[in-house]
Amino acid sequence: MKLKKGDTVMVTIGKDKGKKGKIEKIFPKIGMATISGVNVYKRHTKKRDEKMPGGIIEHTRPLTIAKLALICPKCGKLTRVGFIVAKGEKERMCRKCKQKI
Ligand SMILES: [Zn+2]
């Protein structure tokens, strides 16, 4: 996986283009991720009974990972993720500053 939970990303395509946020949850099987504060829908719910008072529920919808670009935590630039293999382990690397991320 090129991206992981906690990464700061920017949306590059679509109606949320230019928005930034942290990855809240990642769904590797479907290639999607939810980003805090991006693609949030508010749903108004009606009062059903005393236990469910109703109100506004915020729901973050996942976005396709292909629409996201990583913001490097080291250099702060929009970058693509590269990989380096060190001691048999794959590590992520920023293509801009060449640092491990
Ligand atoms: Zn970097």
Side-chain angles (χ1 to χ4, degrees):
M1 236 23 223
K2 287 198 170 185
L3 298 172
K4 59 185 185 185
K5 194 181 165 186
D7 278 348
T8 303
V9 293
M10 193 174 100
V11 184
T12 55
I13 308 166
K15 72 170 181 63
D16 291 309
K17 189 177 172 177
K19 283 189 184 170
K20 291 174 194 171
K22 269 202 169 130
I23 294 183
E24 278 180 342
K25 210 170 180 186
I26 207 146
F27 308 93
K29 279 184 188 168
I30 54 168
M32 298 185 96
T34 55
I35 302 120
S36 61
V38 179
N39 215 23
V40 180
Y41 285 80
K42 282 183 182 152
R43 234 177 55 208
H44 296 262
T45 56
K46 280 181 186 166
K47 186 176 174 176
R48 282 182 200 152
D49 55 48
E50 295 310 314
K51 285 176 195 163
M52 301 267 291
I56 301 164
I57 294 174
E58 287 199 346
H59 178 70
T60 308
R61 288 190 191 166
L63 285 170
T64 308
I65 284 168
K67 288 182 177 177
L68 309 173
L70 181 74
I71 296 169
C72 172
K74 298 278 165 67
C75 64
K77 286 177 187 163
L78 212 61
T79 187
R80 287 177 62 204
V81 178
F83 288 101
I84 42 163
V85 179
K87 294 170 190 166
E89 278 188 47
K90 226 174 171 187
E91 295 197 61
R92 299 195 309 168
M93 180 191 81
C94 167
R95 285 192 197 261
K96 292 256 167 78
C97 66
K98 311 287 182 199
Q99 293 205 69
K100 276 188 222 167
I101 47 175

